[in-house]
Every structure is written in C-alpha cells, then in structure tokens.
Amino acid sequence: MIPNLLLPLTDWNPQFFREVKGRFKPKNIGIAIAGSLVAQSMLLLFMWMALPSSIKDAYNRYCLSQGSYYERQCVLDATGNLLINWQLWWFDLFSILSWVVPFLLLVGGVYQLIADLAKEERRGTLNFLRLSPQTSQSILIGKLLGVPLVLWLAAIVAVPLHLWSAAVAAVSTPAVLSIYLVTLMTCGLFYTGAVLYALLGKAQAWLGAGGVWFGYSIVFLAWQSTGEYATGRLYLGPQKWYFLSINQSLLWSVLFASMICVLGALGLWKAINRRFRNPSSTLISKRQSYIMTLGFEIFLLGFAVRYIDKDFFYLIPDLIGFMVGNTIWFLALMVALTPQRQVLLDWTRYRQNHDFQYQPHQRSLLRDLISGEKSPALVAIALNLLISVAVLTPWIISWGDTELKTTAFLGLLFSSLFLLICATLIQSTMMIKSHKRTISLAILLGLPVVILPIFLLMFRFNLNSHQALLWLFSAFALPGLVNASIQAIAFGLLAHIATLAILMTHTTHQLRQAGKSELKALLAQRQI
C-alpha cells in the first residue's frame, strides 16, 4: 500500500522512488520507530537515575541550593522532598539529544551511502544506472535522499522529545532552529562526500563512517572543554574571521557553518557528477580548480586577517597556520587534477601523433596544459600556486616590519617549490605500472609532510641552525627560516630548485617515452 501512495514520486525522481520502494517497507518502518522509542526511553531512564535519590547525595548536579556550584548541597523543602533543578535536568536532556541525533544521522548515513553504492558496483547495477536516460543529478539526488531515509524516520520520531525538553529548559526558538538547520547542512555535506568516496572505488564503509566519528568527536570535545560553549555564552566557530566575532553571535555562527557546508557540498557535487558519468575523468577540471583555489584562499585568509591593529607577534604563527591549510588543500588538488595512467598514455600518444603528422590547426601545447582535461596537471598546479601567492601578497605587504615581510615571502617561495615537487612526484608515480604506486607515494610524501614536522616540533624551544635547516626540507619551512642563516637558506633553495628540475626532467622523459611506445604499437597494428 505504501509504495502505491508514493507513485507520484516517479514523475519527480525515479531513483528516489526506487530507493523508497526498496526501503520503506512496514518491517523497516516498525524497526525504525520502535528502535527510536526504545532509545529515548533508555535515555530518559538514564537521566532519571542521575537525579538525587536521597539527602545523602550531597553534591548532586540537579540539587537546588543557595551555595555555588561546587557547594551545591541537596536540601529538603517544607514537606521533606528534595529540591530539584528541573530546568537544568531538561537542558541536559536537550543537549544530549542535540548531539546524539546528528551523530547517528551523520555516521549512519555515511555508512549506508558508501555500503549501498559499493553493493551497486559489485552487482553491476551502477553501470546500468549510468546508461539509463535519467540525468546524473537525478540519480545522485535520489541516492542522497533515499538511502538514509529510514534513519531519518527514526530521528524524526525523537523530535517531539527534543522540542519538549527545549521548551521546559527555556531554550530559545532560534537556538533550536539553528540546530536543525546546521544538522541538515552538515548531513548534506558529509553525504555528498560519502558518495564521492564510494565513486572513487573505496568500498570500506566502516572506514568512512569511522572518519566521520573521529571528526565529530573532536568537535564535541572542543565544545565540552569550554564551559562557555556548553552554557550558550559562546557558539561553535572561530573567534575572529575577517574582523567578525563568529563565536559570539548565534546568527554569525550559523551563517558561517552554512557557508562552509554549502560551498563544500557544491564543490563535491561537481566532482561526483563528473566521476559518475565518466569514472576515468579527473574529479574537477583545470578551469574549475582556478576558481575553487581563489575562493579557498580568500576564505582561508580570513583566519589570518583578524585584527585591525596588527600585532606582529601573531603574524608568523598566522602565516604558518595558513600554509598548513594550504598544504592540505594543494595535496587534495593534486589528487583531483592528476589524470589516471591510461588517460595520460592516450594524451601522450595524441601529442606524439600530432608531432608525427603535423596539422596546421592542432591545439597549442601550452593551452592544453593549462585547460586540457587529459593533460598532466603540473602547469595547472603552478597556476593555482600563483593564485595563492597573489591572494597572500597584499596582506604580507601591509606588514610594517621589513624583516618579517622578507621571511614571509621566502616561506611562500619554499612552500610553492615544495608543493611543485609533490605534484611532480604524484605525476611521475601515476605513470608507473605497479599497483603499489599509491603506497610508495604515501611513504614519499608522508616523510616531509607529517613525520619530519612532528619530529622537529619536539625541539621548537631550542631550535639551532641544524634543526632550522631540516625545517627547510619539510612541508613547512617557515619556522626554520626564522632562525636559519643566509647560507642555509641559499642551500635549501638551491636544493629545492635542483630537485624540482630533476623530477620534471624525469617526468617529461617518462611521458615522451610512453607516447613513443604507444605510437609505435598503434602504427604496428595498422601495418598488420
């Protein structure tokens, strides 16, 4: 009967109707509602057990008294009953529901989406969906909305208790609505990321859900570690972003979180649309990468540009934080822009064929490297780095200290050279036939990006010239530049340039040899 009532959905989104028809069965609905009610009952029982049972509970959290929190001793009223702070009790219940329900929606939804797409891939039905007349947007929206639908039903059953606890605890309506809005936005972001993770061929649903669990736990610990967050005097978000006090206003905090979720989901959405229709394509195009990098750099700069009156004590630490975020962004960008090995082979064969049989209207090589879909990503990464430097330069120029400005620009130079070396390594590794190239690449990049900086941080209080030189060969050279000598800086700069030149020569040789080999094989087949 229920599927018949949902037949109108076929006109709006056939894929969503397919998911609803397969999941919205009476048995699943009953399990979701019963499970939600049982979980709420257990939570109420747990909260009830936390109440003071007798006058012997001298320092119970929910006792009313005239003393301070640490002197909160349970007292009796005129009739001999314990005085209970019911408003605080209901507020704690509201807080638990506000954290637990989004946690279950995020972790459970991510797990279900990854597992469902992995199952579709194993059965071969995902390729059938690609060949269907539906648009990729229609199929992906149907998946995003339909797969975790039963989980959302269980969450909706908990809404009445959540609203009731908020009303009794005197929580403001905007605060309650903000929780629902941020939960919807966050789920949209993480669900889109889960679909992309699955389309990349990652079938480990438990790994994706575990990553969300870990990230959510960090946010919760950050909230719990500061009493001002828990009591509502501060809200989750940065202290300053472009001179705006985000964590001191509920409106700014919600708008900031919504901006991150919407922009992140849009970027991921473009990637999954490309990947769904063409699994061999890069996640984003080179043209898209330039726009995305510009937006990300402007966003990231807001965390550094925080004060109208410049405090030079915080400028270098702010720039280091900026470079850490930049390194993560560019490593992800390299993965998103680097074509697969077969695509690179096809491109090199195409270029070699045009060199062998020259055509007057052949496409410019430089233009192909800047905006081509199948060309190597080195030139595109270099242009993205120039965009990053262009965004940062006005901020650094505004500094009053000439020595600090020189150190900052040297840090940008070292960081850009290091990231170009990483891009060249990734490009060269993609040309290797071995299936273990990903492991080799992770080891090569893990040493300067993760292991060496962590090791050097142990000596941050007594940095000598040798340790400063080691910083120059890590992903974050700026701490070493502050204490390094001119000779050490010159040596590190020459080492970076020489390494980049050698790797680029090797990569260019790889591409040319691959193109010649592919062209010879193709010509041999034509002669036969």
Side-chain angles (χ1 to χ4, degrees), residues 121-343:
E121 187 69 47
R122 287 195 302 268
R123 292 179 175 179
T125 53
L126 198 60
N127 288 328
F128 175 76
L129 290 175
R130 289 190 177 101
L131 298 174
S132 67
Q134 298 182 64
T135 63
S136 58
Q137 290 87 350
S138 175
I139 295 172
L140 294 170
I141 289 174
K143 284 288 183 183
L144 287 171
L145 297 179
V147 171
L149 196 60
V150 177
L151 190 64
W152 277 87
L153 175 63
I156 291 172
V157 175
V159 169
L161 179 60
H162 186 252
L163 292 176
W164 178 261
S165 61
V168 178
V171 180
S172 64
T173 301
V176 177
L177 294 178
S178 69
I179 293 174
Y180 295 146
L181 177 62
V182 173
T183 299
L184 287 172
M185 296 275 189
T186 308
C187 286
L189 174 63
F190 280 88
Y191 288 179
T192 310
V195 173
L196 178 60
Y197 177 81
L199 291 179
L200 290 175
K202 311 299 182 183
Q204 297 85 359
W206 62 270
L207 187 60
V212 177
W213 186 323
F214 179 75
Y216 195 88
S217 300
I218 292 176
V219 175
F220 175 75
L221 290 175
W223 172 83
Q224 195 179 37
S225 61
T226 304
E228 293 183 348
Y229 286 112
T231 56
R233 288 192 291 270
L234 288 179
Y235 303 95
L236 284 175
Q239 182 181 0
K240 289 283 185 180
W241 186 76
Y242 281 118
F243 315 124
L244 298 175
S245 300
I246 302 297
N247 65 349
Q248 296 180 13
S249 168
L250 177 62
L251 176 61
W252 283 119
S253 179
V254 172
L255 289 176
F256 185 78
S258 301
M259 178 187 67
I260 293 175
C261 292
V262 170
L263 294 178
L266 285 176
L268 293 172
W269 184 256
K270 289 184 176 294
I272 63 176
N273 264 303
R274 286 171 57 87
R275 196 70 174 197
F276 183 77
R277 281 304 180 189
N278 187 5
S280 63
S281 67
T282 56
L283 295 180
I284 58 175
S285 67
K286 292 182 173 67
R287 295 179 186 271
Q288 290 173 343
S289 72
Y290 305 140
I291 300 173
M292 293 173 68
T293 298
L294 178 62
F296 180 78
E297 297 299 316
I298 294 174
F299 168 77
L300 202 61
L301 186 61
F303 295 99
V305 183
R306 297 179 297 173
Y307 306 104
I308 298 176
D309 297 327
K310 301 177 183 62
D311 189 343
F312 294 108
F313 181 76
Y314 294 105
L315 289 178
I316 292 297
D318 285 346
L319 184 59
I320 292 174
F322 189 99
M323 289 184 173
V324 170
N326 235 16
T327 300
I328 297 172
W329 169 259
F330 275 96
L331 289 175
L333 199 64
M334 293 170 198
V335 175
L337 286 177
T338 302
Q340 298 181 11
R341 182 176 183 273
Q342 187 57 49
V343 175

